[in-house]
């Protein structure tokens, strides 16, 4: 699960960061185990935010390069979105979606129906070149 979701450190926003790599998500993965891992990682990011940045928010970086339609379970995506809105109200500082594929429009159409406008305003879509992605070192995210 650590290749899918891990702790990061987003210096720009001065708070704990959760990095998620969509290309490793599959429809056949153990969803309960994955959800538990997500919740644990988000809780750890809040601890980092409090201890190091004196805040109670987190940033989510979602890397979608390599994601295919076969990876997506839309029902599970809806469930996770609803759970996170309930468990972490007003904790999202920023969500940065990086290199979304063309199918992202379909995913976004599902997600935007169940999130509020305040949350939508915190979401940013970014394109990074391969060299920019290669310059992101895993060591930079180890806390």
């Amino acid at each position: 699960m650590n290749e899918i979701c891990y702790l990061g450190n987003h210096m720009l926003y001065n708070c704990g960061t959760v990095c998620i790599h969509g290309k490793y998500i599959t429809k056949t993965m153990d969803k309960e185990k994955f959800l538990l891992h997500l919740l644990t990682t988000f809780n750890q990011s809040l601890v980092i935010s409090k201890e190091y940045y004196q805040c109670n928010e987190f940033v989510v970086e979602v890397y979608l390069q390599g994601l295919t339609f076969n990876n997506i379970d839309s029902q599970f995506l809806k469930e996770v979105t609803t759970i996170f809105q309930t468990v972490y109200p007003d904790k999202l500082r920023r969500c940065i979606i990086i290199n979304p594929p063309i199918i992202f429009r379909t995913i976004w159409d599902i997600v935007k129906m169940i999130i509020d406008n305040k949350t939508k305003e915190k979401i940013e879509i970014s394109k990074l070149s391969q060299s920019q992605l290669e310059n992101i070192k895993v060591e930079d995210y180890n806390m």
Side-chain angles (χ1 to χ4, degrees):
M1 294 291 155
N2 288 330
E3 69 276 2
I4 300 171
C5 176
Y6 55 89
L7 288 172
N9 184 0
H10 203 293
M11 299 304 287
L12 179 64
Y13 292 105
N14 294 321
C15 63
T17 303
V18 175
C19 301
I20 300 171
H21 286 267
K23 70 180 180 180
Y24 298 118
I25 297 172
T26 66
K27 288 182 178 179
T28 59
M29 67 190 299
D30 183 335
K31 291 175 181 65
E32 188 174 313
K33 185 177 177 182
F34 177 58
L35 181 59
L36 180 61
H37 180 72
L38 280 175
L39 290 167
T40 300
T41 306
F42 276 81
N43 286 336
Q44 291 171 337
S45 74
L46 285 173
V47 169
I48 290 169
S49 289
K50 288 176 188 173
E51 288 184 14
Y52 294 98
Y53 302 107
Q54 294 73 47
C55 72
N56 198 25
E57 296 176 311
F58 49 72
V59 168
V60 181
E61 293 178 349
V62 184
Y63 296 87
L64 293 181
Q65 184 169 343
L67 180 73
T68 67
F69 195 73
N70 292 332
N71 301 73
I72 300 165
D73 180 335
S74 59
Q75 184 58 40
F76 182 65
L77 181 62
K78 289 177 189 177
E79 291 170 16
V80 168
T81 302
T82 302
I83 289 167
F84 275 75
Q85 283 191 309
T86 303
V87 175
Y88 303 109
D90 298 322
K91 302 291 185 206
L92 180 66
R93 182 170 288 183
R94 199 87 184 136
C95 177
I96 306 160
I97 299 171
I98 301 166
N99 291 344
I102 293 171
I103 64 162
F104 177 72
R105 183 171 298 265
T106 303
I107 299 167
W108 181 242
D109 287 343
I110 294 167
V111 172
K112 74 179 179 184
M113 291 186 306
I114 51 180
I115 60 174
D116 58 56
N117 287 332
K118 184 177 176 183
T119 302
K120 286 179 198 171
E121 292 172 4
K122 297 177 183 182
I123 297 173
E124 136 188 0
I125 299 172
S126 177
K127 288 276 192 187
L128 294 178
S129 68
Q130 188 61 38
S131 64
Q132 289 170 310
L133 284 171
E134 290 169 358
N135 287 330
I136 298 172
K137 299 180 184 81
V138 174
E139 306 87 63
D140 294 341
Y141 289 100
N142 293 334
M143 304 282 305

